[in-house]
Amino acid sequence: MVNMRSAVATRRQFLTVGGVALAGAVLSRNVAAGIIKDVGASWSGGPSASPASSAAATPSATATATPTPTPAPTPATVTIPVPVYQQSMVLDCETAALQQGLAYYGINVSQSELFAAEYADTRLPVMGANHTVLRWGNPYTNFVGYVNGSDWTPTGFGVFWPVIQRLARAHGLPNAIGGEGFAPRRIYSELAAGHPVQVWIQTRFARVQLGSWTAWDGTQVRYSYAEHSVTLSGVSPTQVRVNDVLNASQYWVSKSLFEANFAEFNNMAVIFE
C-alpha cells in the first residue's frame, strides 16, 4: 500500500463541502491510482424492479394486441426524524451512530456509557510490509485499539455489528437485527417502514483499499484505514439519507454509491426496531 498519511490520517479529514461526498475525488488527486477504486467501473447502479407484462384482450380475432408493461410502483420518499449527533471520541463513530438510533426511540444514553460496555482491547497491532496489519483485536467482540488514537498509525480502529446489536438490545431495542450480507433492498424496505439502519462504510464514501488481519482468536477481520459507521435516516427512489456522526451532518447519497460502499464491509448493518 502506498503511503496515505496525507489523505487518511484520521477520519475527521474526510469532510465535505456543502454536504456533497467528495472523499473519492480528494483521494484520487492525492493518492496513487491503485488505492482508489472507480465506483463507476465496479458498480452499474442500484436495484431495479422488472416490470410485469400483460396483454389486453382484443375485440377482433384479426387484431394483434401489443403487450404493455405494467410499471413498477414508485416508492415515496421517506424520512425518519433521527437526531444528528457528532462523535465525541476520535474513532468512536460506531457508538455515536448507535446513540442516534437509540435516541430516535426516546432512549437517551451517552456515548461514554455505551463505549464503556464495548470493553476496548487496547493492544497494538502486529504490522507487516507496506503498512499492512497482520494481527490485531477482534471488532466482532470488542472495540479494537485506543478510541482516541489514530486509524492510520494505526493505534485504534473500531467495532462491528455484534457489539452494537448487543448494546441496542440491552438499552431497550430487543428486536434490533444485526449481521452481514444484507441485500440493499432489505435496507431500503426497513427505512421505508420507519426503521433507522446503522451501516458500515468508508469515511465519506471514499473507496480506500481493503485488507484483512487475523485477530488474536483467529477471526479474519476485513479492514480499511477509513472504516466508518453512519445511521441511515431516509430513502427515496434513487437515494438514501445519511446521518453522519463525523461532523454531525445530514446529506443524501445515490443508491449506487451507497451500495458500492456498503459492499466493502460485506453489507454489514444493524436495523433499529
Side-chain angles (χ1 to χ4, degrees):
M1 182 182 296
V2 293
N3 193 309
M4 298 192 299
R5 181 178 299 276
S6 62
V8 198
T10 172
R11 295 172 197 165
R12 292 187 182 278
Q13 289 184 317
F14 284 88
L15 301 179
T16 61
V17 178
V20 180
L22 297 177
V26 172
L27 284 173
S28 65
R29 290 195 298 268
N30 294 290
V31 183
I35 297 299
I36 303 303
K37 305 167 193 163
D38 181 4
V39 174
S42 61
W43 193 260
S44 59
S48 59
S50 298
S53 297
S54 62
T58 62
S60 167
T62 58
T64 302
T66 301
T68 303
T70 301
T74 301
T77 296
V78 174
T79 57
I80 309 169
V82 179
V84 182
Y85 295 146
Q86 182 164 338
Q87 61 192 71
S88 60
M89 293 169 275
V90 176
L91 300 179
D92 199 24
C93 53
E94 300 92 353
T95 302
L98 167 62
Q99 185 189 37
Q100 292 181 138
L102 291 172
Y104 168 67
Y105 290 98
I107 303 167
N108 297 306
V109 188
S110 70
Q111 290 178 42
S112 59
E113 181 180 348
L114 292 168
F115 178 75
E118 294 173 11
Y119 307 110
D121 178 353
T122 56
R123 288 175 287 183
L124 295 176
V126 176
M127 302 297 292
N130 300 317
H131 200 69
T132 57
V133 180
L134 299 180
R135 301 289 305 276
W136 209 358
N138 185 352
Y140 291 97
T141 59
N142 305 82
F143 186 95
V144 174
Y146 290 99
V147 69
N148 286 313
S150 164
D151 47 6
W152 166 249
T153 303
T155 56
F157 179 71
V159 70
F160 284 169
W161 73 266
V163 178
I164 297 301
Q165 177 188 257
R166 172 176 60 80
L167 290 172
R169 290 179 173 181
H171 287 279
L173 297 181
N175 297 319
I177 303 167
E180 297 180 28
F182 283 102
R185 287 179 183 272
R186 171 70 183 280
I187 301 304
Y188 307 147
S189 176
E190 295 289 349
L191 292 170
H195 302 148
V197 181
Q198 179 170 342
V199 295
W200 278 254
I201 57 167
Q202 301 215 53
T203 304
R204 287 305 197 199
F205 295 88
R207 306 302 305 284
V208 178
Q209 184 170 313
L210 295 169
S212 178
W213 76 63
T214 302
W216 311 124
D217 62 7
T219 302
Q220 292 300 302
V221 177
R222 185 180 299 194
Y223 78 95
S224 90
Y225 290 114
E227 179 268 340
H228 190 43
S229 190
V230 297
T231 311
L232 302 183
S233 62
V235 64
S236 81
T238 59
Q239 297 178 301
V240 291
R241 191 172 73 170
V242 179
N243 281 28
D244 197 331
V245 298
L246 183 67
N247 64 338
S249 60
Q250 187 178 78
Y251 53 87
W252 292 85
V253 299
S254 70
K255 285 181 175 178
S256 60
L257 178 59
F258 163 68
E259 290 171 15
N261 218 265
F262 188 40
E264 301 279 56
F265 286 94
N266 197 32
N267 292 35
M268 186 185 300
V270 173
I271 300 163
F272 299 119
E273 57 177 84

